[in-house]
Each structure stands twice: as C-alpha cells, then as structure tokens.
Amino acid sequence: MNRTIEADFFPQAFEAIKDKPCILIVDNNNAFTRSAKLALEKTGSYVVFEENDATKAHQTAQNLKPDLILLDVVMPETDGGEVAARIQSDPTLHRTPIVFLTALVTEAETRSGLRIQGHPSLAKPISFPDLIRGIEENLPVRAAS
C-alpha cells in the first residue's frame, strides 16, 4: 500500500512512524520475513514491510518507496538479481539501497565486503545483530528535521 494513502487513512499512526526508516524485506520464506519484521519493529527503530512474491517485489517497492530493501537471492520464478535489476532501472527507486540475503555465501565472505551485482550481502542464516548492522551500514543518511 502506498505510504501516502496510509497517511490519509491513519494520520496518527503515520505521524508515529514517518521518521522511522522503511525497510522492505523480499524473500519467498514467509516465516523468515515475518520473524525479521517482528524483531526489527520490536526495536522501535524501523517500519518493516514484507513481500513474499518476487514477481510483485518491484511493484511493492514502487508503492512503498522504502529506505532500504533486504532481498533474497534465490527465489522461485524470479531471482533476487532480476528484482534488483528492475529496481535499479526504475528512476524512482534507483537510489534505494539493496542488501542481498543469501545462503550462497559465508559470513566470512560478507564480512570481507563481498558484493553481489555491486550490492552488499548478508549470509543466511543471519543473526539479529548482523541484520541490524547490515541495515544500519547501508541506510542512507537522513537529513535532520
């Protein structure tokens, strides 16, 4: 759902979250996205949305205009590389940071700065502190209000 539309329907809720970074998690594993969303939102620092269908990820990102996208690499039908390419070619999203999540690399490789298609990556399974670190290292700097 478009964040502007949400603001029209839920103005008080929108005020409470408007200054928090919006994170979009794209992964076909619903249990992973749900647990990551709950854990991240429990910190009080983020607003998190899930997309479990890679074929819808670009549209979801267009609607949300997230501050950062966590994107699984291996998904059925459309892989994370294809989703990232679509997002990067979109003029409204091309500056949105993407962090790949994958079991195809090791934690040591990600800590050494391994990049996939020019994007940072985090190894799965991922610890919560590593997930927070990966988000914080890649969120764009927000101008002070």
Side-chain angles (χ1 to χ4, degrees), residues 9-10 17 21 27 31 34 37 62 74 76 78 82 95 104 108 112 121-122 124-125 127 131 142:
F9 288 107
F10 307 105
I17 66 170
D27 193 310
R34 179 45 106 200
K37 172 185 171 57
Q62 285 179 320
V74 179
T78 304
E82 292 174 55
R95 293 185 185 268
L104 300 176
S112 72
S121 62
L122 297 171
K124 286 170 127 183
S127 70
L131 181 60
R142 298 167 67 102

Side-chain angles (χ1 to χ4, degrees), residues 85-103:
R86 286 185 195 137
I87 289 168
Q88 286 187 296
S89 68
D90 184 323
T92 64
L93 297 171
H94 74 280
R95 293 185 185 268
T96 305
I98 296 171
V99 177
F100 279 115
L101 304 172
T102 182

